[in-house]
Amino acid sequence: MTTLSPQQAYQATNKHYELPAELFSIYLDQRLKYSSGLYLDEHTDLDQAQTHKLHFVARQLGLTGGERLLDIGCGWGSLILFMAREYGCHATGITPSRPQAEHIRAQAEKSGVADLIELELGSFADIEVAGQFQAVTMLGSIVHMPNRTAVLHKAYGLLRRGGSLYLSESCFRDRATYDEFSRRPGTKHVTEGIFGFADMVPLSTLAEAVETAGFSLTGLTDLTAHYHRTIEEWERRVEAARDRVELVAPGMAEPLVRYLQTANAGWGYTTKHYALTALKSRMGPTEAPCPKA
Amino acid sequence: MTAETTSQDQIAAIATEYLATELKIDPSEIARTDVLKDLPGADSIKLLRVVSKLERRWDVEFDDESIFAASTVDELTVLVQKYVSGELTAR
């Protein structure tokens, strides 16, 4: 699976994300955030869960307002637009997908944050990004990049001292499960059929890449249950609007449902969804982990 | 339904119902001695969804090894009953 070059992986992956935004608006939340939400209780709906999640990411990064932030693999811009609007961040997004970039530009204008948003069109590995950033985010994007250590090394170089990284990813739950399941038809439908290229390495491999790039690892959150609930909602929405899906992207309803069902069958059994935080700092955080109980 | 009152037949009926729903077949097509992966339309993802529903139904978590060791409807039923009755308590 890792025999693809970064360039080939980027071309293969981009196909899914170049499908019209209208398709994703059928099953995602209003912001088109294509990653796990965060559910506070049983009444939380998908839009609220994605809002909670974005605030959670801001907290994990220690944002207080006005920071320069880089989102690698920014999708339809939910995170950069949110951080610009809610935290006054100067946010740069990187996406290889032109439809995504156009969608973000329009949204930025509409919500009056166009002057806070910058976009780079292309693959992160090939792009010259002008540093320095106080925060870097990668939500479900490193799975599409075979050269994960080089990518993290580059991100490290773009952060200023004390800057923080938030990285979330879907992983096979351990090395043995990865070895057994990553080549199975169900997995390949998702990783190659839907996404072109995705390599769901175990957390240990991601952690190794983060430390090899020079970061201090500062935190780990298990978001598996939250992604399960998020995808349950996506699946419900696709099922309820199959006809519209077929209208916007002919032939897509069946593979899309199969992808969502496969993903949700695996959580906890074969796969996990984790969020990692890390700092560009030798000593790590100076404050105590549990301030005054 | 408490653990004490859940008989093997009741568990088998629920497991069969979940299997029939997931595989989109009639419950009458499923015999208790049938091999799970040989049921019409069965694949590992659908069977995992059934296991997951059974776990949620009784709020238990089976050990991985015992899930993959259960090859027939009866064996799956016995597995569930062991956890439900508290004989195995990996809750």
Side-chain angles (χ1 to χ4, degrees):
Chain A
M1 189 169 276
T2 46
T3 50
L4 251 60
S5 74
Q7 187 62 22
Q8 288 168 318
Y10 145 60
Q11 280 163 355
T13 303
N14 213 20
K15 286 198 185 103
H16 183 61
Y17 300 106
E18 289 203 334
L19 289 166
E22 197 188 342
L23 167 67
F24 299 95
S25 73
I26 295 171
Y27 64 103
L28 303 183
D29 64 312
Q30 287 175 9
R31 293 189 182 88
L32 304 186
K33 186 173 168 301
Y34 209 6
S35 50
S36 178
L38 191 69
Y39 289 85
L40 300 193
D41 58 44
E42 70 270 30
H43 305 297
T44 310
D45 68 23
L46 181 62
D47 282 300
Q48 292 167 333
Q50 295 297 11
T51 304
H52 293 317
K53 176 69 177 314
L54 289 165
H55 280 298
F56 169 77
V57 173
R59 279 200 305 278
Q60 294 293 97
L61 290 166
L63 299 183
T64 54
E67 286 88 354
R68 279 201 76 197
L69 176 144
L70 175 67
D71 190 21
I72 302 168
C74 66
W76 291 275
S78 58
L79 188 143
I80 53 173
L81 293 165
F82 179 87
M83 297 307 173
R85 212 162 35 222
E86 301 290 324
Y87 293 84
C89 288
H90 297 261
T92 302
I94 298 177
T95 173
S97 158
R98 196 172 291 277
Q100 289 187 331
E102 283 163 7
H103 177 85
I104 298 166
R105 283 207 182 88
Q107 292 297 314
E109 287 292 340
K110 214 158 91 183
S111 52
V113 292
D115 55 331
L116 291 175
I117 297 292
E118 271 185 55
L119 286 173
E120 301 281 352
L121 190 65
S123 163
F124 175 59
D126 305 330
I127 289 176
E128 287 280 331
V129 190
Q132 292 206 316
F133 296 91
Q134 282 131 306
V136 169
T137 50
M138 298 188 77
L139 279 69
S141 55
I142 206 164
V143 75
H144 300 310
M145 305 175 187
N147 49 339
R148 64 189 74 82
T149 304
V151 162
L152 288 169
H153 199 260
K154 185 169 177 177
Y156 183 87
L158 291 170
L159 276 169
R160 68 157 73 151
R161 190 179 161 215
S164 52
L165 169 76
Y166 176 96
L167 182 154
S168 57
E169 202 49 83
S170 303
C171 305
F172 277 106
R173 61 184 272 195
D174 57 30
R175 174 56 57 183
T177 311
Y178 174 84
D179 291 341
E180 190 183 340
F181 286 87
S182 59
R183 304 300 301 163
R184 291 224 184 157
T187 306
K188 287 180 74 167
H189 170 68
V190 176
T191 57
E192 294 173 21
I194 296 287
F195 288 107
F197 175 84
D199 193 9
M200 299 197 291
V201 294
L203 173 68
S204 47
T205 302
L206 282 184
E208 187 181 2
V210 171
E211 64 182 9
T212 303
F215 285 98
S216 291
L217 268 162
T218 53
L220 177 67
T221 310
D222 183 351
L223 293 170
T224 310
H226 296 272
Y227 216 167
H228 183 263
R229 215 170 137 184
T230 304
I231 294 181
E232 253 179 2
E233 183 56 33
W234 292 348
E235 190 190 328
R236 213 173 0 251
R237 290 173 180 217
V238 173
E239 289 285 12
R242 267 177 182 263
D243 295 351
R244 258 192 78 205
V245 170
E246 283 299 307
L247 215 60
V248 177
M252 198 61 201
E254 198 52 50
L256 192 55
V257 167
R258 192 173 154 215
Y259 146 53
L260 297 171
Q261 287 186 344
T262 304
N264 256 11
W267 294 130
Y269 297 93
T270 53
T271 51
K272 296 289 295 177
H273 189 76
Y274 289 113
L276 280 173
T277 50
L279 275 183
K280 180 169 179 170
S281 156
R282 286 194 197 287
M283 295 297 159
T286 48
E287 66 272 18
C290 302
K292 287 176 247 146
Chain B
M1 195 181 287
T2 66
E4 288 73 31
T5 63
T6 312
S7 74
Q8 199 154 322
D9 284 343
Q10 285 170 310
I11 293 169
I14 291 167
T16 302
E17 178 201 320
Y18 287 175
L19 283 164
T21 306
E22 193 59 49
L23 303 177
K24 299 190 173 79
I25 56 176
D26 196 86
S28 64
E29 289 182 58
I30 302 170
R32 288 174 62 165
T33 49
D34 280 350
V35 173
L36 295 165
K37 66 176 171 53
D38 294 340
L39 287 169
D43 62 34
S44 59
I45 289 155
K46 287 174 183 156
L47 294 176
L48 211 45
R49 284 163 63 95
V50 170
V51 168
S52 172
K53 269 170 102 171
L54 290 168
E55 286 187 340
R56 271 183 282 170
R57 169 71 175 73
W58 281 284
D59 191 23
V60 291
E61 289 189 4
F62 312 132
D63 286 332
D64 293 349
E65 293 76 13
S66 49
I67 294 173
F68 295 111
S71 66
T72 63
V73 179
D74 260 338
E75 285 172 20
L76 184 63
T77 303
V78 169
L79 167 69
V80 174
Q81 200 189 20
K82 277 181 183 165
Y83 279 82
V84 171
S85 66
E87 196 177 313
L88 292 165
T89 48
R91 278 174 170 254

